[in-house]
Amino acid sequence: MNIASLSINYRVISWLFLILLAIGGSNSFLNLGRLEDPSFTIKEAMVITAYPGATAEEVEEELTYPLEREIRRLPYVDFITSTSAPGLSQIMVSMKMEYDEHELPQIWDELRRKINDLQPQLPTGSAPPSVMDDFGDVYGMLYMVTGNDYQFDDLKQYVDGVRRELEMVEGVGKINIEGDQQEQVFIEMSLTRLAALNLDMNTVVQLLTEQNAVLDGGQMTIDGESLHLRLTSAGSSIDPIIHGRDSGQLVRLSDVATLHRGFQEVPTNLLRYNGQQALSLGISFTKGVNVVDVGAAVDKRLQELLQDRPIGIELNSLYHQPQEVEKSINGFLVSLAQAVAIVVIILLFTMGFRSGIIIGTVLLLTMLGTFIAMEYQGIELQRISLGALIIALGMLVDNAIVVVEGILVGLQRGRTKLQACADIVSQTQWPLLGATIIAIIAFAPIGLSPDATGEFMGSLFYVLLFSLFLSWVTALTLTPFLAEKLLRAPKQDDTDSDPYAGKLFGVVRVLLRVCLRFKKTTVIAMVLMLATALVGFGQVKQAFFPASNTPMFYLDMWLPEGSDIRQTEKVLKQVEHYVLAQPQTEYVASTVGQGLPRFTLTYAPEKSYSSYAQLAIRSHDLPQMMELAKHLDAQLPRQFAGAIFQIKLMEFGPSPKSKIEARISGADPQVLRSVAAQIEDILRDDYGARGVRHDWREHTKELHPIVDESQARRLGISQESIAKTLKVAFDGAVVGTFRDGTRMLPIVTRLEQQYRDDYATLDNLKIWSPSLQHYVPLQQVVHKIELVSAEALIQRRDRKRMITVLADHNVLGEETAAQLLARIKPKVEALKLPIGYELEWGGEYESSNDAQKMLFASLPMGYLFMFIITVLLFNSFRKPAVIWLTVPLSLIGVTVGLLATNQPFSFTALLGLLSLSGMVLKNGIVLMDQINLELANGKEAYQAVVDSAISRVRPVTMAALTTILGMIPLIFDAFFASMAVTIMFGLGFATILTLVIVPVLYALFYRVNAPIQQS
């Protein structure tokens, strides 16, 4: 008794299985988490170390190099990139792809220990290194908080209150606030008033430092009670009494300085929203939650807090992931329902009403069972997993179609329903299992790829694994069970009729006999078609990941290196005003000095640069977004000639900093800049290049006071004293802390604005001479000041100096980055590099190659396993060879489809091409198994080949048709469009050719000739 007989005879168990799939699957579907895109682990950490006063070269040699050397000793490190700027080292550490999210926390701890052990050896004056391992945190709900006439401290106070409330919402993870400015107490001294009272600013600074120091006066024991001695002043702690050194006159600080509260003069990061200063409030989610439900809970709590919000403060949503997820998931569910409806309707019309109902029911139960497996595995409903279900739809009915077709043929031949079910299941269960495993293995490289792209696409493989294997189980169990219940036995008159007497079968029979008569001609024709397709494939556009369909894009703005962040903000305000004036603009969020908080996984925030600003611009819909982006791309360079603008579209998958990156490594900065300039010239000469620049940026200007060392020695003045005097005068020095309730405000002492902005102030500064015991003019030890050019940024990769030339293709046009690279790559590689200098390519070229390398790493083993399965199925080498030779034929349809629809061959299209091999092999296995069966029944070889092909016309074409038409909803999705076209056209051509080529190749391999009368 086989499995079909068991399913029919043990009806209670079959009904129980059916009900469990229906109810359990429905429940799992409701419980599944929901995301817009699948999560992937960002395996990067940032090590930031300040080294005040050091040049870029000193930072590189004394700080960055020893840190890189120590970090590189970790066996987990893939590569290291670093930026050495004056006073700051930023090191990005990227770990190898094989380490997952569970191993990374331990790796980050080991990284911290390494750096902490190195800290005593770092130069004096450098701050302790800070390791940011939360660099990849995603704040899916990002709000911009604005308020007319509100200062940063007012906004911060409100946002802190909101954060405390939202942290208690279930499902909310980390909450981050950005854009806050440090409030400070400024003491701005007047040189004129200091001179009138015969005081020097260094004296004032020393007194203030002593005044604000926390001192331990010890303790006394009186009558057995211990009392602490605390020093306090009778006067104001922020306006102390100053004792004039020579006159003995007592004056207050306010007599020589202006005291006021304000915000740090040179901020590190500024945020704006629709032209107003802003703070950002980012909300991340805990793992495995339904972000739609959590988003609704957050929105509800914010609505409840609305009554406590001060009038004038606005909470503006920059990105609301739960809403985007709901919109995306609902759209995909509609596509999934459409695909299911298409498949079921096709089955009803082609297989008959009852057969269509059986196969449609099995399809639905298989999908519900897949939801159970997804919940168990922790796979959320998101773009990739839902896309996998749509891709699987056609393949899910393949096994059921074969079984139902066999049952119908058995019934027409006079078998009972039980006998027909048992016959077809017994005949096809192992070939169908082998074909199903092969189809699963075809997708295995996606799930086994350890890189970010493989992790991003991994759920595609697992969903297909669950659904396809379950489709085999349901085809052998529930399909016979339902067939026995629903199918009717044919009338007695129909039992002897030919089941393959229709017109379609007649056409295929004639075509097949002609091709078998001219076997060699047919094979030559196929080879020529394949060769033509290979040539045509060279004309197909290449791409990595497509742009998102969210109507939002980024506008990067770079001013010349060395620009003050306040100047960058000034220009940004003008650009912002221009963008907001455009009718297509819905809102604009801006950041100065660094990127925005990471609000999607695919958004890569820029590091800290004072000359950098970015605008996140949202339009009402995609057409308006493209119209606005094209307008800005044309107009902004004309109106703001001093800035470089770069438009970036939101993308679905991981994306590099720029699409085109040419990296040159070597030792000499001047040689690196010279080579980079040549590459920039090549790119600027190309009509398709945009945003051409390099990452070392321009040289910056520096003032170098030249110290007369002999005079300084005689006066007892050290270079440290000179540096402190200059810092206090122009930059300001922290001399203490002012306590305002729970807040600690730094007290900053400096000269008044009029002196800080006046170069002549250098001539009026005085410095204390320990040798003479009085103040002397600074000019006595600084005899001149030189203006010099210096490196602003030194970039390194894997401990080698490396300059990267960056460019992008026109992201708003039809051309892809691969087409631009194909034009400029030979010209760049033709440049003769000096000895010791190397060129390598990054950008999309590197990302795509790395992803394909990871993908193809497991491909040979997968294909070997697939070939072994076919050998085991047929106990032969020639038969599997016949089947495998049909696989490349799918490329004919792929080339035609991509060229006809003008779709690029993207990474998703590559996955579609790989999956085609499993689909084509599955069809070939079913056909070859039928040939074996016909031969085993005693038929002559030629007739067995023809009859087998004819008998497989309906199940093979139906399986292909359901897959192809089920893909229709994906054509309208930007992410899956190229994959859908690849599978639809590839499978369509391959199916037609398989029905002809497999018999022809079999006849060639086994020397089967057409009978004489057939000619």
Side-chain angles (χ1 to χ4, degrees), residues 560-572:
E561 189 61 33
S563 299
D564 187 88
I565 192 171
R566 292 162 292 184
Q567 175 63 22
T568 307
E569 184 192 24
K570 181 180 177 182
V571 178
L572 172 71

Side-chain angles (χ1 to χ4, degrees), residues 411-470:
L411 291 175
Q412 282 191 298
R413 289 175 175 169
R415 305 286 284 174
T416 66
K417 285 194 282 188
L418 180 61
Q419 290 172 335
C421 291
D423 289 347
I424 189 63
V425 169
S426 177
Q427 172 194 333
T428 60
Q429 58 184 346
W430 300 122
L432 287 180
L433 176 62
T436 300
I437 292 174
I438 284 174
I440 292 170
I441 295 173
F443 289 93
I446 307 167
L448 300 177
S449 179
D451 71 331
T453 306
E455 189 177 358
F456 184 76
M457 300 290 294
S459 58
L460 182 78
F461 165 69
Y462 289 105
V463 171
L464 287 164
L465 167 66
F466 301 146
S467 58
L468 290 178
F469 183 76
L470 189 58

Side-chain angles (χ1 to χ4, degrees), residues 20 145 176 415 570 699 739 751 808 813 928:
L20 284 175
V145 183
N176 181 53
R415 305 286 284 174
K570 181 180 177 182
H699 284 103
R739 295 163 182 81
L751 291 181
D808 281 280
M928 186 62 69

Side-chain angles (χ1 to χ4, degrees), residues 103-172:
E103 298 168 293
L104 283 177
Q106 184 177 347
I107 292 174
W108 300 143
D109 287 342
E110 194 167 339
L111 173 65
R112 282 192 175 87
R113 288 197 297 271
K114 280 279 185 187
I115 291 174
N116 288 337
D117 292 344
L118 181 68
Q119 189 173 326
Q121 303 173 37
L122 297 180
T124 304
S126 63
S130 172
V131 179
M132 295 174 57
D133 60 356
D134 58 354
F135 186 74
D137 286 351
V138 177
Y139 301 98
M141 297 180 74
L142 185 61
Y143 294 94
M144 304 296 282
V145 183
T146 60
N148 282 326
D149 302 323
Y150 283 93
Q151 296 296 325
F152 281 111
D153 54 335
D154 300 320
L155 295 177
K156 181 66 160 55
Q157 186 176 0
Y158 168 71
V159 172
D160 281 337
V162 173
R163 174 167 62 179
R164 285 192 295 271
E165 294 295 331
L166 294 182
E167 282 174 339
M168 293 184 287
V169 176
E170 188 176 354
V172 168

Side-chain angles (χ1 to χ4, degrees), residues 724-761:
K724 286 182 177 178
T725 299
L726 293 171
K727 181 170 178 61
V728 170
F730 295 100
D731 196 24
V734 177
V735 296
T737 304
F738 177 69
R739 295 163 182 81
D740 180 13
T742 58
R743 294 192 301 163
M744 311 287 281
L745 309 183
I747 301 174
V748 178
T749 304
R750 61 189 184 184
L751 291 181
E752 290 181 340
Q753 185 77 41
Q754 58 178 323
Y755 302 110
R756 298 200 307 274
D757 294 343
D758 188 0
Y759 182 81
T761 300

Side-chain angles (χ1 to χ4, degrees), residues 986-1007:
L987 185 59
F989 274 71
T991 299
I992 296 170
L993 297 177
T994 298
L995 290 170
V996 174
I997 293 302
V998 168
V1000 168
L1001 290 176
Y1002 183 90
L1004 276 174
F1005 275 52
Y1006 286 89
R1007 296 186 174 87

